Amino acid sequence: MMVSTPAKKQVKKRVKRPLVVRGEPVVQSVIRATIEELARVGYGALRFEDVAARAGVNKTTIYRRWPQKVDLVQAALSSFAERALGRPATGSLRGDLMEIGRAIVAKSCSAQGESLVRVLMAERHPDMVAIDRALHTHFEAVPLAVVKAAIDRGEVAPDLDARVLMGTFVGALHHCIFMKQQTADETFIGKVVDLLLTGALIR
Amino acid sequence: MMVSTPAKKQVKKRVKRPLVVRGEPVVQSVIRATIEELARVGYGALRFEDVAARAGVNKTTIYRRWPQKVDLVQAALSSFAERALGRPATGSLRGDLMEIGRAIVAKSCSAQGESLVRVLMAERHPDMVAIDRALHTHFEAVPLAVVKAAIDRGEVAPDLDARVLMGTFVGALHHCIFMKQQTADETFIGKVVDLLLTGALIR
């Protein structure tokens, strides 16, 4: 028997939006609500109740699919990552990196993307280590394929460390946007890509 | 005439540590206290009262020198930046970058440095834009000198964009430490430096 405290009543009332039918649309709306809540309050303060209320579903609907907060957030961020990066195929590593760079900047500068990156950087919850790793594996799929194509074309050596290349690229863009609070425009992306491709030393 | 409310009494009590004498030591202890408070609560929540209490000085002592919070924080972070980076002179750009890389990693992985970077990345207070810019001008002094020396030695072209080089370097290290939550060890720093120096493309 649950005692109906005023706090519980309030939660009930907030969940009383039209309930979505089970299935793919529910998943999508829970995923979206999770990203929005995460960008708003961060991982530590994220509550199933608030995600449920925002998605217009029952809390148990979420629990059934993602029993732990870490599962829910990992699913949401992976889905976000998946939608963030298309697979470029411009025919050159430079062209592909430019497209990836533009996509990263666009995503990082969107209100939601910006909040997410800041939350991910600021958050030190122990769960975040596992989430970050899973997320980066996801984020790395496209860049790894791009580097593989460049190896096949003979542009780069077969032993090139694609993870170092991509981490350095993303790091440079995020440093500009989040630490220096400057605009990462086309010229800036181009300068970073050229540095990564040809290096600083005189050839 | 100040009314002595209980809240004010409490602040008074916390300030009742032995007052440091005016001059350089006071400045140093206020600077240190500001960095510690900033790492603890961030810019938005930083209060002169708490800095004064932590430094064991009177609030007015701080106000007299730094009338605005933005002045105080800018001074503290510039001092932190100054102490973070020595001026390497190994005789090669690679050696100099390795030393800068080790210093950045050491500083970023210290409890205080980590908190500071996370706070700086997470914070969106309007004052932070000006502070970030001033801080980066400060942080860039050493790298700019290092690149200037490399130009003089004929290692790099005179028109090399030292800011892009250094931003990319710092970004790569921070991405590894703060986004991927991985260890930026000697091997990793070396890989990033080699990429920045020689580039990904086959020469």
Side-chain angles (χ1 to χ4, degrees):
Chain A
M1 278 290 146
M2 273 161 61
V3 184
S4 187
T5 63
K8 274 195 179 118
K9 250 185 200 152
Q10 213 189 345
V11 169
K12 269 252 174 84
K13 211 190 281 165
R14 289 171 62 193
V15 188
K16 261 200 178 158
R17 297 197 198 163
L19 289 191
V20 193
V21 255
R22 203 75 43 78
E24 203 46 30
V26 175
V27 172
Q28 283 315 313
S29 91
V30 171
I31 290 290
R32 195 166 46 243
T34 305
I35 293 286
E36 286 167 4
E37 276 300 300
L38 200 59
R40 193 177 67 87
V41 299
Y43 184 82
L46 187 88
R47 288 154 23 110
F48 275 68
E49 288 91 319
D50 297 331
V51 173
R54 191 183 276 269
V57 302
N58 238 304
K59 210 169 64 170
T60 46
T61 309
I62 307 182
Y63 277 124
R64 212 172 295 130
R65 192 170 182 120
W66 300 283
Q68 308 285 335
K69 187 156 85 170
V70 61
D71 308 320
L72 174 64
V73 171
Q74 203 160 302
L77 287 177
S78 298
S79 150
F80 187 81
E82 220 162 53
R83 280 176 289 122
L85 280 187
R87 162 88 172 81
T90 63
S92 76
L93 182 54
R94 190 177 197 285
D96 287 356
L97 288 182
M98 287 301 294
E99 287 213 355
I100 292 177
R102 286 180 202 115
I104 291 171
V105 170
K107 210 74 187 177
S108 304
C109 293
S110 72
Q112 206 176 70
E114 194 190 321
S115 301
L116 264 182
V117 172
R118 292 197 190 270
V119 160
L120 289 175
M121 289 204 183
E123 196 97 27
R124 267 168 301 180
H125 193 285
D127 286 357
M128 291 306 292
V129 178
I131 292 175
D132 279 352
R133 297 231 169 118
L135 187 60
H136 279 95
T137 308
H138 224 93
F139 256 128
E140 275 166 354
V142 167
L144 290 182
V146 161
V147 169
K148 171 80 174 55
I151 293 172
D152 292 345
R153 280 191 301 262
E155 283 188 280
V156 300
D159 64 349
L160 176 75
D161 194 324
R163 280 189 187 83
V164 169
L165 175 66
M166 288 315 302
T168 303
F169 189 27
V170 177
L173 300 175
H174 282 174
H175 184 77
C176 173
I177 299 168
F178 297 107
M179 284 291 275
K180 298 179 92 169
Q181 313 218 22
Q182 290 176 355
T183 311
D185 57 12
E186 187 75 9
T187 309
F188 177 79
I189 301 174
K191 280 186 176 183
V192 173
V193 168
D194 287 336
L195 176 66
L196 295 177
L197 291 181
T198 59
L201 293 185
I202 290 174
R203 293 196 169 212
Chain B
M1 279 293 144
M2 272 163 62
V3 185
S4 188
T5 65
K8 275 200 179 117
K9 252 189 199 150
Q10 213 190 345
V11 169
K12 266 254 174 80
K13 211 191 279 165
R14 288 170 63 192
V15 187
K16 261 203 180 156
R17 296 195 199 163
L19 290 189
V20 193
V21 254
R22 203 76 45 76
E24 204 47 31
V26 175
V27 172
Q28 283 316 312
S29 90
V30 169
I31 290 290
R32 197 165 44 242
T34 305
I35 293 287
E36 287 166 5
E37 277 300 300
L38 199 60
R40 193 176 68 86
V41 299
Y43 185 82
L46 186 87
R47 288 155 22 112
F48 274 69
E49 287 90 320
D50 299 331
V51 172
R54 191 181 275 271
V57 302
N58 237 305
K59 211 168 65 171
T60 46
T61 309
I62 307 181
Y63 276 124
R64 212 172 295 130
R65 193 169 181 122
W66 300 284
Q68 309 285 336
K69 186 156 86 170
V70 60
D71 307 320
L72 174 65
V73 170
Q74 203 161 302
L77 288 176
S78 298
S79 152
F80 187 80
E82 219 162 52
R83 280 176 289 122
L85 282 186
R87 162 88 171 81
T90 63
S92 76
L93 181 55
R94 189 177 197 286
D96 286 356
L97 289 181
M98 287 302 295
E99 286 214 355
I100 291 177
R102 288 181 200 114
I104 290 171
V105 170
K107 209 73 187 177
S108 303
C109 293
S110 71
Q112 206 177 71
E114 194 190 320
S115 302
L116 264 182
V117 172
R118 292 199 190 269
V119 160
L120 288 176
M121 290 203 181
E123 195 97 30
R124 267 168 301 181
H125 193 285
D127 286 357
M128 291 306 293
V129 179
I131 292 175
D132 280 351
R133 298 230 167 119
L135 187 60
H136 280 94
T137 308
H138 224 92
F139 256 128
E140 274 167 355
V142 167
L144 290 182
V146 161
V147 169
K148 171 77 174 56
I151 293 171
D152 291 346
R153 280 191 301 263
E155 285 188 277
V156 301
D159 64 349
L160 175 75
D161 194 325
R163 279 187 186 83
V164 169
L165 175 66
M166 288 314 304
T168 303
F169 189 27
V170 177
L173 300 175
H174 281 173
H175 184 76
C176 173
I177 299 168
F178 297 107
M179 285 291 275
K180 298 180 94 169
Q181 311 218 24
Q182 290 178 355
T183 311
D185 57 11
E186 187 76 8
T187 309
F188 177 78
I189 301 174
K191 280 185 177 184
V192 173
V193 168
D194 286 337
L195 176 66
L196 295 177
L197 291 181
T198 60
L201 294 184
I202 289 173
R203 293 198 169 213

